[in-house]
Amino acid sequence: MPARLEVQELNAWYGGRQALYDVSLEVEDRAATAIIGPSGCGKSTFLRCLNRLHEETPGARMTGAVRLDGDDLGAADAVSVRCRVGMVFQKPNPFPNLSIFENVAAGLRLLGVRRRDELDQGVAEALLHAGLWEEVEHHLDAPGTSLSGGQQQRLCIARALAVRPEVLLMDEPCSALDPIATAKVETLMARLRREYTVVVVTHNLAQARRVSDRTAFFYLGKVVEVGPTDRIFASPAEKLTENYVNGRFG
Amino acid sequence: MGGGADRPGERFEGRGRRLRFLGRLGLVFGGGIRLLAAAVLALVVVLAGFLLANAWPAIVRFGPGFLSGTIWGDQPGGPFGAWPAIAGTLLTSALALLFAVPIGLGVALFASELAPRWLRAPLAYFVDLGAAIPSIVYGFWAIAVLVPFLGDTVEPGLSRLTHGRWPFAGPTTGGDLLAASVVLAIMIVPTIAALSREALRAVPRELREGALGVGANRWEATRLAVLGPAAPGIAGSIVLGLGRALGETIAVAMVFGGVYEAPTSLFSRGATIPSWLVTQFLNPLPGLDLNALYELATILLAVSIVLNVGARLLIRRLEAPRRSRRGARWRTAPTVVRVPAGTDSFAAPAWWPRIAERGRARRRWRAVVQGLVLALVVGAVLLAAYPLASLIETTAVHGGVAVVRPSFYTSTPPPSCGIGQTNCPLGGVGPEIEGTLVMLGLAALIAIPVGLLVGVYISEYRQSRLARATSLVTDVLVGVPTILLGVFVFAVVHTYDQTIEASAIAGAAALGLLMVPIVTRATEVALRTVPASVREGALALGFPRHRVTLRVVLGSCRPALVTGNLLAVMRAGGETAALLLTAGTSGLWMTSLTSQTGALSTFIWTAFESYSSPNYTTDAWGAALVLLLMMAVVSLAARLALRSPGGPGSV
Ligand SMILES: Nc1ncnc2c1ncn2[C@@H]1O[C@H](COP(=O)(O)OP(=O)(O)O)[C@@H](O)[C@H]1O
Ligand SMILES: [Mg+2]
């Protein structure tokens, strides 16, 4: 499989405190890459470096290169980077004052989609892909925040999909959800990973096994090991990884 | 609550007794603060009653015609009409809002969203300072700088441009409707900016990031994800600004000309309800009818109550989530979207390439829009900063001469001195400093504990009817124009003794009345932010409830409490209108608490009234500088208090 996203020697800081050390990683096209590791090891920071959201944190900075299809994202316009690299956050964060429809349409409107039929189609498609369509098609006017937690998270996924990103980043997308909602989002991820390049952070090892093709294990801001998910869980090369995937710490 | 004492084991005998004692103490405490809250409530009702009782004869005598009457007669018995004052109040406030809302919102947006990060903290400090500067200082600056500027430059220009057509008709004096509105706008910009900024900052970061995540630039993220959730707070800030404009007394009295006529042009002189109240209470026309004045005050009270209650309702409505899609205000039919066939594949729709192709040009256009917004917002900041900078500079330059002289702090004010007279004797504001400290001290001594305890009561017994009533009254009282607090006290004093003079005691009472609701509100809000877990944790350790409240809960929000109290002290320290009515002015060292007592703020008013005496004016600028420095120091302290670590660890 070809590498879609290449990360080279990525270092990231919050003020004087370094959160990532020389992270290099290749993310494959049309596959899901899981990032696992104990909390505080820099998984979220890594993800936020991929769509340049890291620089929005006061005092944060980064060095190194992130390339998408060979384009250096660091040199590109941050806004266009975030259109190409979509993100779903840990806590569902639909725009509180917008309806379900407008939540999904927001990104399209920013891109300049104006025609009614095009907006309708774009929104419907995104909601279909996010597996939310059947549940909301009759009350698209309701506020996005009136949905349940799991539905809100799928709304956020739809919102991200609507602008047709090339890469989808998901930061512990299920950690705020109950088991049933989690199962729905996982089913969705299983579908999305064949169409998009997905990078998903999870602290749930079983989930990483279920939804990802490749897995990277982070520890204290460094990549310890990357490889096919099966191999990482079955026969990790590193002692640290083995201890972690067998639940001996973390 | 002392429940551990139910079945004390042998070894815990002593402890059980202690717990029982603490439990009883807790009951006493609970009863005590309830009584206090009831007393505050009763006091407010009684004060309003006094006002109404005094206004009643006028209400009966003049009937509804009082509202539409256009004359304030100088014969006993009238006629008296409120219309010119009502019109003046409405016009000045409306115009002030018109100027101040865009500027205040611009400043708030800049300070919280768009400014470079290093600039945000100093900016916030200056906004706070602007909100804390007493109106007497604004008024004094306006007389010296703004009014001449408007009268000599702006108004003649406007008049020439429009050939004196409405609303730019009439002689251009600078002391008119335009000046009053501009001063009010300058004064309420910081109020609107400070509170709107709080509202914007309270929006969680995840929401902004959600918008950035779909490719919004910073301005678009603000528009999409921040303005909506902040709307109730922003609306609240505007209402508060309006309340301040409606109730502002001193600055308006200084620049609006004091003519009792409804304004017909921007260059008309006029009066507002508060400005007419203060000038009439101080320098009554010969046929002074106190009852008519009280009726005028009652109208002001009614307006401020209606505004407060209306604001509460408005904010509650805004806080409810909006049910429609954006732009659906005129579309009542629910959105129905037909899914075109074949949509479930991940292939891009036919129109997508067109959009993608235009992406770059469109992004550039969006960046231009963001740049325009930024330019507007920076313009607003400059417009807001210019008068503030001018005020600080003018006060520092004129007042600096006075405050470096040691005798400024130790002498009494100079005898007045005519224009052109040389060798004017120099004086000082020693008695005024003394008066300010004594009255402020007395007021704080009573108001801070009372305010704190009532605040505790309201938040601890949130469900009870008394607590809710007290909370509502506190809210209203915070928004009541300060001149009315003076009128309240004046009414009580005069009802008992027609001959009594203003006194330090009455002044302190008015200041206390101003401080209690501020402290109460600050306490209530601070306590609300303490997580229930802190309280439960302490209760689980077996602390009796009153100790939990007093030590743990109050302790864990101490910075916010300190800030609330400092805010109250600041407001009271610069108060002028209420003090003029209750404490009067004196110029002499204090001999007793029951005689007239000057304060720094009222001294400036005296200087304004005898503006021609240059030695007096210099000392007044000195007093203004002292007040300004006091506000600068106290608001810095308030800011630092909030930043200091105040977690439960510091209990
Ligand atoms: N906004 C921030 N400011 C300062 N430090 C931060 C911030 N966010 C994260 N960190 C620090 O960076 C490190 C990595 O955090 P993060 O990437 O969130 O970890 P993870 O997602 O793996 O739990 C942690 O030590 C955390 O304390
Ligand atoms: Mg994380």
Side-chain angles (χ1 to χ4, degrees):
Chain A
M1 283 250 185
R4 196 75 202 270
L5 202 58
E6 277 176 90
V7 180
Q8 271 178 355
E9 313 246 310
L10 188 65
N11 288 281
W13 290 263
Y14 290 100
R17 172 170 181 188
Q18 192 162 3
L20 291 178
Y21 298 84
D22 288 328
V23 173
S24 296
L25 199 68
E26 295 195 342
V27 177
E28 285 184 6
D29 190 21
R30 286 167 201 268
T33 303
I35 311 284
I36 59 170
S39 66
C41 69
K43 306 182 294 293
S44 299
T45 308
F46 174 70
L47 220 56
R48 293 163 61 88
C49 286
L50 300 186
N51 70 343
R52 306 250 318 252
L53 211 50
H54 182 65
E55 67 199 46
E56 297 292 334
T57 309
R61 87 200 150 82
M62 59 176 270
T63 64
V66 180
R67 287 197 191 80
L68 178 56
D69 293 336
D71 304 342
D72 184 4
L73 295 188
D77 172 45
V79 168
S80 71
V81 169
R82 294 182 199 132
C83 285
R84 295 178 69 185
V85 184
M87 184 155 189
V88 176
F89 297 81
Q90 187 164 356
K91 227 175 105 204
N93 56 353
F95 303 131
N97 290 63
L98 300 189
S99 66
I100 294 171
F101 183 95
E102 289 298 338
N103 257 284
V104 182
L108 291 172
R109 286 190 192 274
L110 290 177
L111 286 176
V113 182
R114 290 254 171 64
R115 286 182 40 189
R116 193 76 250 162
D117 55 334
E118 293 174 358
L119 275 176
D120 283 358
Q121 189 184 6
V123 169
E125 240 176 49
L127 285 169
L128 273 165
H129 293 167
L132 191 59
W133 176 253
E134 277 83 25
E135 292 159 63
V136 300
E137 66 175 313
H138 297 302
H139 46 270
L140 292 170
D141 282 333
T145 43
S146 66
L147 298 173
S148 72
Q151 288 174 322
Q152 285 191 21
Q153 192 62 300
R154 279 179 287 147
L155 180 63
C156 292
I157 294 174
R159 181 176 73 183
L161 294 181
V163 294
R164 311 195 71 85
E166 297 159 48
V167 179
L168 187 63
L169 309 175
M170 306 175 98
D171 190 355
E172 305 199 17
C174 302
S175 66
L177 306 185
D178 64 61
I180 294 174
T182 299
K184 283 193 177 157
V185 173
E186 281 191 16
T187 315
L188 174 60
M189 283 156 75
R191 229 151 44 84
L192 292 177
R193 74 201 246 204
R194 315 216 179 292
E195 306 292 335
Y196 287 90
T197 303
V198 178
V199 184
V200 55
V201 167
T202 174
H203 58 212
N204 179 340
L205 296 178
Q207 184 178 61
R209 289 178 92 146
R210 282 193 298 269
V211 302
S212 73
D213 305 291
R214 287 167 59 84
T215 295
F217 171 57
F218 276 53
Y219 187 67
L220 297 180
K222 296 189 175 100
V223 188
V224 176
E225 193 171 353
V226 202
T229 299
D230 297 339
R231 185 183 67 69
I232 292 286
F233 282 93
S235 53
E238 301 284 333
K239 191 73 191 156
L240 261 170
T241 318
E242 186 183 335
N243 285 342
Y244 184 73
V245 299
N246 290 324
R248 281 200 273 274
F249 73 93
Chain B
M1 235 189 275
D6 285 352
R7 284 179 54 202
E10 285 277 302
R11 278 164 53 204
F12 298 118
E13 192 59 31
R15 212 181 150 204
R17 214 175 297 132
R18 184 169 150 70
L19 280 177
R20 257 198 309 279
F21 169 70
L22 284 176
R24 237 173 276 135
L25 202 67
L27 284 182
V28 171
F29 174 74
I33 58 177
R34 181 169 317 152
L35 252 170
L36 200 60
V40 167
L41 197 60
L43 178 69
V44 173
V45 171
V46 166
L47 288 176
F50 263 99
L51 181 62
L52 220 66
N54 276 298
W56 192 248
I59 297 175
V60 171
R61 188 139 40 103
F62 306 123
F66 184 75
L67 290 176
S68 56
T70 56
I71 293 171
W72 198 271
D74 52 6
Q75 302 297 320
F80 296 106
W83 178 244
I86 294 175
T89 308
L90 294 180
L91 280 172
T92 48
S93 302
L95 283 172
L97 272 193
L98 197 70
F99 302 141
V101 167
I103 296 180
L105 291 188
V107 172
L109 271 176
F110 188 68
S112 107
E113 307 289 317
L114 303 170
R117 288 184 203 283
W118 57 268
L119 198 57
R120 294 185 189 183
L123 204 65
Y125 172 72
F126 275 99
V127 169
D128 281 2
L129 181 62
I133 293 175
S135 46
I136 182 78
V137 180
Y138 274 111
F140 208 56
W141 165 79
I143 286 292
V145 178
L146 181 72
V147 167
F149 173 65
L150 289 177
D152 299 341
T153 311
V154 176
E155 294 184 354
L158 284 172
S159 186
R160 253 195 316 277
L161 269 178
T162 58
H163 301 291
R165 270 195 290 272
W166 187 87
F168 304 104
T172 57
T173 57
D176 50 23
L177 176 61
L178 184 65
S181 312
V182 171
V183 175
L184 282 179
I186 292 172
M187 294 175 66
I188 65 177
V189 159
T191 310
I192 294 176
L195 290 164
S196 296
R197 178 180 151 271
E198 292 302 313
L200 291 170
R201 275 170 48 105
V203 176
R205 222 177 66 186
E206 300 101 75
L207 290 181
R208 279 186 188 85
E209 292 187 340
L212 293 173
V214 292
N217 60 32
R218 236 191 232 175
W219 158 242
E220 289 160 345
T222 304
R223 182 167 61 74
L224 269 175
V226 179
L227 288 185
I234 291 175
S237 80
I238 293 174
V239 174
L240 215 79
L242 176 60
R244 221 184 139 184
L246 285 173
E248 175 50 38
T249 309
I250 286 297
V252 174
M254 289 165 98
V255 303
F256 201 5
V259 173
Y260 202 70
E261 276 165 18
T264 53
S265 122
L266 279 176
F267 303 158
S268 301
R269 296 171 161 253
T272 63
I273 300 181
S275 79
W276 192 246
L277 281 176
V278 77
T279 48
Q280 287 308 297
F281 269 113
L282 293 178
N283 312 309
L285 292 170
L288 169 73
D289 189 320
L290 267 179
N291 301 109
L293 273 185
Y294 284 120
E295 185 174 357
L296 200 57
T298 310
I299 294 176
L300 186 60
L301 180 65
V303 169
S304 91
I305 290 175
V306 166
L307 191 70
N308 270 295
V309 175
R312 274 192 164 205
L313 295 179
L314 171 79
I315 288 170
R316 203 170 305 157
R317 259 195 66 177
L318 283 174
E319 268 169 355
R322 212 143 89 208
R323 275 210 66 87
S324 63
R325 57 199 284 188
R326 215 145 54 92
R329 251 159 293 171
W330 61 88
R331 286 179 53 133
T332 43
T335 309
V336 179
V337 174
R338 274 171 301 103
V339 185
T343 299
D344 205 15
S345 87
F346 280 85
W351 45 268
W352 182 256
R354 194 186 80 226
I355 297 295
E357 196 181 312
R358 277 207 234 123
R360 179 184 289 262
R362 167 131 187 109
R363 260 201 317 281
R364 212 168 299 139
W365 166 242
R366 285 160 55 196
V368 168
V369 171
Q370 173 169 261
L372 283 178
V373 171
L374 192 62
L376 280 178
V377 160
V378 169
V381 172
L382 292 179
L383 271 179
Y386 188 74
L388 191 60
S390 162
L391 182 146
I392 292 174
E393 192 234 34
T394 315
T395 311
V397 168
H398 293 317
V401 188
V403 297
V404 293
R405 198 160 33 83
S407 65
F408 176 71
Y409 304 95
T410 53
S411 337
T412 52
S416 96
C417 161
I419 303 174
Q421 186 180 330
T422 48
N423 288 334
C424 285
L426 294 174
V429 292
E432 282 70 26
I433 294 177
E434 178 197 45
T436 297
L437 290 180
V438 167
M439 288 189 284
L440 200 56
L442 274 178
L445 210 63
I446 298 183
I448 289 181
V450 169
L452 268 174
L453 291 173
V454 173
V456 167
Y457 174 74
I458 292 176
S459 77
E460 290 290 294
Y461 299 87
R462 222 164 295 168
Q463 317 309 338
S464 83
R465 228 179 308 161
L466 176 62
R468 265 181 288 161
T470 317
S471 168
L472 181 72
V473 164
T474 313
D475 269 11
V476 170
L477 217 51
V478 170
V480 158
T482 52
I483 175 95
L484 286 182
L485 304 177
V487 173
F488 282 157
V489 174
F490 190 91
V492 174
V493 171
H494 273 252
T495 304
Y496 286 112
D497 188 347
Q498 302 278 336
T499 63
I500 208 162
E501 284 200 53
S503 67
I505 292 276
L511 294 187
L513 216 48
L514 185 141
M515 291 174 74
V516 167
I518 302 178
V519 177
T520 303
R521 265 295 283 283
T523 308
E524 198 190 329
V525 171
L527 286 179
R528 216 182 294 150
T529 63
V530 177
S533 56
V534 169
R535 186 184 313 254
E536 282 159 8
L539 284 171
L541 286 177
F543 287 104
R545 181 165 170 182
H546 72 280
R547 287 197 104 192
V548 172
T549 307
L550 282 184
R551 291 275 175 80
V552 183
V553 177
L554 279 183
S556 71
C557 58
R558 200 155 45 191
L561 294 179
V562 170
T563 300
N565 285 323
L566 289 178
L567 194 78
V569 170
M570 265 193 311
R571 289 279 307 277
E575 175 54 30
T576 314
L579 277 188
L580 280 174
L581 258 58
T582 53
T585 53
S586 126
L588 300 173
W589 294 98
M590 190 181 263
T591 50
S592 89
L593 288 177
T594 50
S595 55
Q596 289 214 35
T597 306
L600 284 168
S601 54
T602 51
F603 174 76
I604 304 176
W605 172 264
T606 325
F608 156 71
E609 290 199 310
S610 55
Y611 200 69
S612 51
S613 186
N615 51 354
Y616 227 87
T617 308
T618 305
D619 280 354
W621 280 114
L625 184 55
V626 171
L627 283 175
L628 198 60
L629 289 174
M630 175 179 146
M631 300 309 155
V633 170
V634 177
S635 51
L636 191 65
R639 203 148 261 283
L640 291 181
L642 268 189
R643 203 176 299 166
S644 74
S650 64
V651 172

